[in-house]
Amino acid sequence: LGPRNGRFYDSDGNVLETPVSFPAHSTALQILGTFILWFGWYGFNPGSALAIANDDSSATAALCAVTTTLAAACGCVTAMFFDCGLDCLS
């Protein structure tokens, strides 16, 4: 790893007025990483009930799964609005 050549300084070392934006490296790997994290959240959050011995603990695990799904969806929608908003401002 090293500095992003051409991001903040030109080839002569002079500071650029505005940073140059770089495109994403691999959108497919970003999405794959998101799904891996999401799958891990399903293992951790509902799995926190550990032993589903009765109806109360199974209801808690189900509520955790629903909350995990809603949190991921809200994060996705929020990121989409921020991205669209930043595109409109620039």
Side-chain angles (χ1 to χ4, degrees):
L1 297 177
R4 293 183 176 179
N5 296 328
R7 170 94 168 128
F8 299 104
Y9 301 96
D10 62 8
S11 59
D12 297 329
N14 301 321
V15 177
L16 297 173
E17 291 181 19
T18 57
V20 177
S21 62
F22 284 86
H25 294 289
S26 175
T27 305
L29 287 178
Q30 290 174 351
I31 292 170
L32 178 64
T34 301
F35 281 127
I36 290 171
L37 280 172
W38 197 7
F39 184 74
W41 290 333
Y42 279 117
F44 179 76
N45 291 343
S48 297
L50 289 181
I52 300 176
N54 55 24
D55 290 339
D56 291 337
S57 58
S58 62
T60 302
L63 183 62
C64 288
V66 169
T67 303
T68 301
T69 303
L70 290 176
C74 289
C76 178
V77 170
T78 302
M80 181 189 67
F81 281 130
F82 270 111
D83 187 46
C84 292
L86 290 175
D87 282 347
C88 289
L89 290 176
S90 60

